[in-house]
Amino acid sequence: QNRAESRLDYDAVLFLAPEPELRPGDRVRVQRADGETLELELVGRAVRYPTHQEAAAREKRRTPPSMKSSMPM
């Protein structure tokens, strides 16, 4: 591997509770406050701390928030 090939590409860092056992390749679904849903794949190992863990993730799929009806009631 050259230097560029050994770099880890990621789109987000997740801050999670310390309990879940996470492994590289696991998939996580996140729903944002605006209703958008992201499906992420964990890359590398999570870094564990007593209060939380941090995991780098790559975006696999994005689903926009559902459109609410704009018709008056």
Side-chain angles (χ1 to χ4, degrees):
Q1 282 184 333
N2 64 34
R3 192 174 200 170
E5 291 173 332
S6 65
R7 282 193 311 205
L8 193 60
D9 290 327
Y10 64 93
D11 294 324
V13 176
L14 301 176
F15 293 83
L16 306 158
E19 296 83 15
E21 290 291 328
L22 302 173
R23 295 188 171 111
D26 284 353
R27 292 204 173 191
V28 177
R29 186 171 293 138
V30 176
Q31 184 171 12
R32 296 168 44 116
D34 65 0
E36 180 178 47
T37 301
L38 303 172
E39 187 174 321
L40 305 166
E41 181 178 346
L42 302 182
V43 294
R45 298 181 98 158
V47 178
R48 299 177 78 91
Y49 298 96
T51 57
H52 70 286
Q53 59 184 316
E54 298 175 19
R58 180 180 308 122
E59 184 177 315
K60 299 307 273 183
R61 185 178 355 179
R62 181 182 295 245
T63 306
S66 60
M67 299 289 290
K68 293 188 177 181
S69 175
S70 58
M71 300 207 29
M73 296 177 91

